[in-house]
């Protein structure tokens, strides 16, 4: 049997371990990216490592999340990020230049390379044939310092696409179909590799829409081969030299296969409040909508905006609807303004926002009370829009634009003839908003600018021998990091100020959580399945750690959050018998004795529920290295100890 593409790239980058699913592997990282909401912490951690300059081939720092400047905080962070990038040899993409994943695809991504990003949608780069993985900021800091990225070797799931997309059906519908079939847990522990004759008709931005939303499957990453389609995209971006043909061998072996016939597909939509809650757009026909938002790293490319302009040209946004559009990058913004498409959007009544994450992360454009909002985004978790009662639907830009005109959910096939947008032969290339770092001797003299919003990184103490404390909170399945550490216009600016942020842990679920955690001097959280799905924000581990959290017992964990818990010295345990979840309540006192001895590879951990007089057998599933990290009180302590 031949080798699949994911394994080929992984084996080229393998530093240690065996490429057997479930084994711990470490891989060399060629490129890193950070964004401003996770970047401040990642760079503070990098600084704490005492390494003078990044050791990657390329590291880029983007500003795209915290662009709403309602106080000094975000502006302070931007200055900090710009100065620290210059000092340590990092490219700096200025605010206004666009969303990290879209800009990275346009200007830096390259087939066959590895990319580690402090954002869960880093797999967007998989559309170009890279192994692009999202991770916590601390993992990215370690990679910038030249350390390998350590993870569990995933299984490779092959999604084979046959046929061609019918008119009005798009890449967004393909990934919604995968989510419908596999759910938000379906990709955990997997890399999704797309193959088959159907991929030929998908251009790079379309492929990237699919790999981007592989994050919603919980997948480690997703990847397409690098072929003629990739070649013409890179050529049009003036980067032909980055091209390298790469694909799976014929008869490549996979751990699992899913086949989708594109001929049979129709426009789909994800209903509130989960990206896998999928049905056809036609089924929801007539549902009134009050807001439509087009943009985000999933669907804000040149072709997406052109498709929207084609639909809205000479039309008017329905009186009930507020339509917000954020172009994914300055390139997209400028090209659509020069070719007149932007004028068509403005004329139709769209509210044009800057090239940034914006409403996707609750930075403005919160919908009205109980209002239905259709978005071309990737996440519709409850409350993420900024309105707790908001009803957020996810769909293609085409479904969004059609609904903006009619004021109700609309299957765009009702609009008649369809004009599929071709990519330009040449994109408008202008990198003046990306600042290259100065040479090392110049960089040394740079002073890092630290405003009052930049507070030191809290560091965990080494693991004590015995752990005891109350169950501070018990939650259900599929808890997202948006539940644990919400974002939005009020909280996101506090990302570099952990004490201020700690007031908002679990704010939407239980506002008393922070005061309780402080009063009890820390304790445990009990979770259901897929605990910590969604974003890569390490704040969902770091800030609870600051409040004294030392252990989470869940039915199962999402990959990035589990890694973040370990990185901050919090013990992640899973119930050996999942029904024992029922025998534990908020307020119960738990005790683990002799934890240092119990945390041995493959050994179970007995947790005593002192309140109920029960023993709960748990598994930690930690590797030798992860055990050492937890014992040291986290990755920063562990790395520093290794360096000195
Ligand atoms: C998100 O989409 O939730 C974010 C904001 O981009 C996060 C990162 C963050 O919380 O800063 C992500 O997906 O990793
Ligand atoms: Fe930004 Fe939204 Fe993409 Fe996250 S998912 S990187 S918030 S656009």
């Amino acid at each position: 049997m031949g080798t699949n593409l994911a394994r080929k790239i992984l084996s080229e980058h393998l530093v240690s371990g065996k490429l057997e699913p479930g084994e711990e592997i470490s891989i060399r990282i060629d490129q890193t990216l950070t964004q401003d909401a996770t970047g401040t912490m990642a760079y503070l951690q990098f600084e704490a490592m005492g390494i003078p300059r990044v050791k990657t081939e390329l590291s880029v720092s983007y500003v795209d999340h915290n662009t709403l400047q309602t106080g000094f905080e975000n502006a302070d962070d931007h200055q900090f990020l710009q100065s620290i990038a210059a000092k340590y040899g990092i490219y700096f993409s200025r605010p206004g230049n666009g969303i990290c994943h879209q800009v990275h695809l346009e200007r830096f991504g390259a087939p066959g390379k590895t990319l580690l990003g402090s954002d869960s949608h880093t797999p967007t780069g998989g559309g170009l044939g890279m192994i692009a993985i999202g991770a916590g900021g601390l993992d990215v800091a370690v990679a910038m310092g030249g350390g390998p990225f350590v993870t569990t070797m995933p299984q490779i799931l092959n999604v084979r696409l046959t046929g061609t997309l019918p008119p009005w059906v798009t890449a967004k519908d393909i990934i919604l179909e995968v989510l419908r079939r596999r759910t938000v847990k379906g990709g955990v522990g997997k890399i999704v590799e797309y193959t088959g004759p159907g991929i030929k008709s998908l251009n790079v931005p379309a492929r990237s829409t699919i790999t981007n939303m592989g994050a919603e499957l919980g997948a480690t990453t997703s990847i397409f081969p690098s072929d003629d389609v990739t070649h013409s995209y890179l050529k049009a971006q003036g980067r032909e030299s980055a091209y390298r043909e790469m694909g799976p061998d014929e008869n490549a072996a996979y751990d699992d296969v899913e086949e989708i016939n594109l001929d049979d597909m129709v426009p789909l939509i994800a209903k509130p409040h989960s990206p896998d809650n999928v049905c056809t757009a036609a089924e929801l026909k007539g549902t009134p909508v009050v807001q439509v938002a087009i943009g985000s790293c999933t669907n804000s490319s040149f072709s997406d905006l052109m498709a929207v302009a084609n639909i809205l040209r000479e039309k008017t946004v329905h009186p009930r609807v507020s339509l917000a559009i954020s172009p994914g990058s300055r390139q997209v913004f400028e090209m659509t303004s020069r070719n007149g498409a932007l004028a068509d959007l403005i004329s139709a009544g769209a509210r044009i926002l800057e090239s940034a994450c914006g409403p996707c992360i609750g930075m403005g454009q919160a919908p009205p009370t109980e209002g239905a909002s259709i978005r071309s985004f990737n996440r519709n978790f409850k409350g993420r829009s900024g309105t707790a009662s908001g009803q957020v639907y996810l769909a293609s830009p085409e479904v969004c634009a059609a609904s903006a005109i009619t004021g109700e959910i609309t299957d765009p096939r009702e609009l008649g003839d369809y004009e599929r947008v071709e990519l330009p032969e040449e994109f408008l290339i202008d990198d003046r908003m990306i600042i290259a770092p100065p040479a090392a001797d110049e960089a040394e003299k740079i002073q890092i600018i630290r405003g009052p919003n930049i507070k030191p990184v809290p560091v965990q103490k080494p693991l004590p021998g015995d752990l005891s404390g109350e169950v501070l909170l018990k939650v259900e399945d599929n808890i997202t990091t948006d539940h644990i550490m919400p974002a939005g216009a009020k909280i996101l600016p506090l990302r570099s100020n952990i004490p201020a942020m700690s007031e908002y842990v679990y704010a939407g679920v239980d506002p008393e959580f922070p005061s309780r955690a402080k009063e009890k001097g820390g304790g445990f959280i009990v979770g259901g399945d897929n605990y910590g799905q969604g974003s890569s924000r390490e704040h969902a581990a770091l800030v609870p750690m600051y409040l004294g959290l030392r252990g989470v017992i869940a039915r199962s964990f999402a990959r990035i959050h589990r890694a973040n818990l370990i990185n901050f010295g919090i013990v992640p345990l899973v119930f050996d018998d999942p029904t024992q979840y029922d025998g534990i309540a908020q307020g119960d006192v738990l005790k683990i004795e002799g934890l240092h001895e119990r945390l041995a590879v493959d050994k179970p951990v007995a947790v005593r529920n002192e309140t109920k007089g029960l023993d709960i057998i748990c598994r930690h599933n930690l590797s030798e290295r992860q055990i050492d990290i937890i014992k040291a009180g986290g990755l920063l302590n562990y790395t520093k100890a290794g360096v000195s």
Side-chain angles (χ1 to χ4, degrees):
M1 289 284 245
T3 308
N4 58 54
L5 175 58
R7 283 185 82 92
K8 283 186 189 179
I9 303 178
L10 288 173
S11 62
E12 280 182 10
H13 290 82
L14 194 66
V15 175
S16 68
K18 277 199 292 218
L19 295 180
E20 297 289 334
E23 291 282 317
E24 187 173 86
I25 55 166
S26 67
I27 55 169
R28 182 168 46 77
I29 296 300
D30 301 321
Q31 303 186 346
T32 63
L33 73 75
T34 56
Q35 38 88 339
D36 48 338
T38 53
T40 45
M41 211 35 76
Y43 293 116
L44 287 169
Q45 287 156 346
F46 180 76
E47 203 182 14
M49 286 174 198
I51 297 166
R53 203 169 169 86
V54 291
K55 296 185 177 162
T56 45
E57 286 175 15
L58 173 87
S59 288
V60 191
S61 170
Y62 293 91
V63 177
D64 53 3
H65 283 64
N66 264 326
T67 54
L68 210 60
Q69 291 167 225
T70 51
F72 63 91
E73 292 87 352
N74 293 342
D76 274 10
D77 284 2
H78 300 171
Q79 288 185 331
F80 166 77
L81 289 166
Q82 183 162 356
S83 59
I84 208 158
K87 187 158 190 82
Y88 290 115
I90 298 153
Y91 283 78
F92 181 71
S93 171
R94 299 178 62 183
N97 197 45
I99 306 175
C100 55
H101 309 302
Q102 175 66 27
V103 179
H104 206 85
L105 195 72
E106 292 167 358
R107 308 306 309 140
F108 297 112
K113 299 277 184 197
T114 51
L115 166 68
L116 194 70
S118 63
D119 191 281
S120 62
H121 290 103
T122 304
T124 312
L128 270 178
M130 343 177 56
I131 288 284
I133 302 179
L138 187 46
D139 280 329
V140 176
V142 169
M144 288 192 288
F149 174 62
V150 184
T151 191
T152 307
M153 175 63 191
Q155 292 190 342
I156 317 293
L157 161 65
N158 178 212
V159 176
R160 210 180 117 74
L161 304 180
T162 58
T164 37
L165 284 175
W168 297 109
V169 185
T170 69
K172 180 65 150 252
D173 302 306
I174 301 178
I175 187 62
L176 288 176
E177 174 63 15
V178 182
L179 275 155
R180 190 186 69 76
R181 293 188 191 186
R182 296 270 169 160
T183 81
V184 290
K185 293 186 285 187
V188 177
K190 296 195 166 97
I191 292 179
V192 187
E193 184 168 320
Y194 291 84
T195 64
I199 66 170
K200 283 281 169 223
S201 60
L202 300 172
N203 64 27
V204 167
R207 292 175 179 188
S208 292
T209 292
I210 295 172
T211 59
N212 172 287
M213 271 190 90
E216 278 52 66
L217 288 165
T220 303
T221 189
S222 303
I223 190 166
F224 275 82
S226 167
D227 54 13
D228 294 350
V229 172
T230 325
H231 180 243
S232 42
Y233 179 78
L234 286 169
K235 189 164 172 231
Q237 288 287 358
R239 302 201 293 118
E240 204 174 356
S241 60
Y243 179 66
R244 178 177 166 203
E245 189 184 333
M246 293 200 84
D249 292 339
E250 244 173 78
N251 297 323
Y254 292 95
D255 300 298
D256 192 359
V257 183
E258 181 80 69
E259 189 150 328
I260 300 180
N261 185 349
L262 303 182
D263 295 329
D264 300 339
M265 291 205 44
V266 296
L268 298 175
I269 194 161
K271 294 178 282 184
H273 297 283
S274 182
D276 60 0
N277 195 9
V278 174
C279 68
T280 66
E283 275 172 73
L284 296 179
K285 182 179 157 69
T287 309
V289 294
V290 290
Q291 187 190 54
V292 176
I294 296 170
S296 95
C297 55
T298 321
N299 275 114
S300 58
S301 67
F302 176 75
S303 22
D304 288 330
L305 260 69
M306 289 308 295
V308 172
N310 289 344
I311 297 170
L312 291 180
R313 190 166 299 122
E314 288 166 21
K315 302 272 188 340
T316 309
V317 172
H318 190 276
R320 177 169 52 215
V321 174
S322 166
L323 167 66
I325 300 182
S326 11
S329 68
R330 177 165 161 271
Q331 183 184 73
V332 173
F333 215 158
E334 192 172 343
M335 286 178 72
T336 48
S337 62
R338 290 191 187 280
N339 73 9
L342 189 64
D344 293 328
L345 300 175
I346 295 170
S347 159
R351 300 169 66 182
I352 308 296
L353 308 178
E354 71 174 316
S355 287
C357 300
C360 178
I361 193 59
M363 295 301 263
Q365 309 296 318
T369 307
E370 286 168 21
S373 172
I374 305 196
R375 303 172 160 213
S376 72
F377 305 171
N378 48 38
R379 290 187 173 145
N380 59 346
F381 304 143
K382 200 167 189 312
R384 182 176 159 103
S385 65
T387 302
S389 64
Q391 303 292 314
V392 178
Y393 296 81
L394 306 172
S396 67
E398 284 80 351
V399 173
C400 290
S403 308
I405 299 170
T406 59
E408 51 187 50
I409 293 180
T410 301
D411 183 328
R413 290 176 301 180
E414 289 177 15
L415 300 181
D417 289 345
Y418 179 63
E419 195 187 325
R420 202 173 284 279
V421 178
E422 296 300 329
L423 285 188
E425 285 191 6
E426 271 178 43
F427 286 93
L428 192 156
I429 295 153
D430 173 1
D431 289 333
R432 282 176 300 154
M433 291 297 132
I434 300 175
I435 303 179
D441 49 344
E442 273 302 304
E444 261 176 34
K445 298 180 213 142
I446 288 167
Q447 288 292 322
I448 296 169
I449 304 173
R450 263 177 248 269
N453 196 42
I454 313 281
K455 295 274 184 288
V457 197
V459 179
Q460 174 80 294
K461 293 193 195 67
L463 187 74
D466 300 330
L467 270 192
S468 71
E470 268 188 30
V471 175
L472 298 168
L473 186 70
K474 184 177 174 185
V475 288
E476 70 277 22
D477 289 351
N478 292 325
I479 281 293
T480 72
T481 50
D482 278 278
H483 290 108
I484 306 172
M485 196 66 263
K490 193 160 132 200
I491 310 178
L492 207 57
L494 304 175
R495 283 287 178 91
S496 27
N497 184 344
I498 305 305
M501 241 203 153
S502 70
E503 302 297 322
Y504 299 99
V505 177
Y506 270 115
V509 175
D510 180 354
E512 303 305 315
F513 180 85
S515 53
R516 187 161 63 245
K518 276 191 209 148
E519 184 197 316
K520 307 281 179 194
F524 295 87
I525 287 176
V526 172
D529 256 325
N530 202 21
Y531 182 81
Q533 68 156 328
S535 119
S536 70
R537 62 189 72 151
E538 62 189 354
H539 293 76
L542 170 60
V543 188
M545 173 205 97
Y546 174 82
L547 291 176
L549 181 73
R550 290 294 329 217
V552 180
I553 311 176
R555 285 204 181 104
S556 67
F557 287 93
R559 174 187 65 91
I560 307 180
H561 186 60
R562 178 172 179 274
N564 284 335
L565 289 172
I566 297 167
N567 284 352
F568 291 99
I570 300 169
V571 187
L573 296 172
V574 290
F575 293 101
D576 194 37
D577 168 5
T579 61
Q580 285 209 307
Y581 169 87
D582 301 323
I584 199 165
Q586 189 173 311
D588 286 359
V589 175
L590 305 182
K591 188 159 191 177
I592 313 175
E593 280 176 339
L595 190 53
H596 281 252
E597 298 73 58
R598 287 173 199 257
L599 280 187
V601 173
D602 290 337
K603 256 191 155 182
V605 174
V607 179
R608 179 79 187 158
N609 184 337
E610 305 235 291
T611 311
K612 302 256 160 65
L614 285 173
D615 284 318
I616 305 161
I617 304 301
C618 295
R619 302 260 154 206
H620 57 75
N621 301 328
L622 297 164
S623 69
E624 204 87 63
R625 174 179 171 273
Q626 290 172 326
I627 291 170
D628 290 343
I629 291 174
I630 287 190
K631 285 185 179 166
L635 183 59
L636 203 55
N637 293 345
Y638 172 85
T639 310
K640 275 203 232 157
V643 169
S644 58

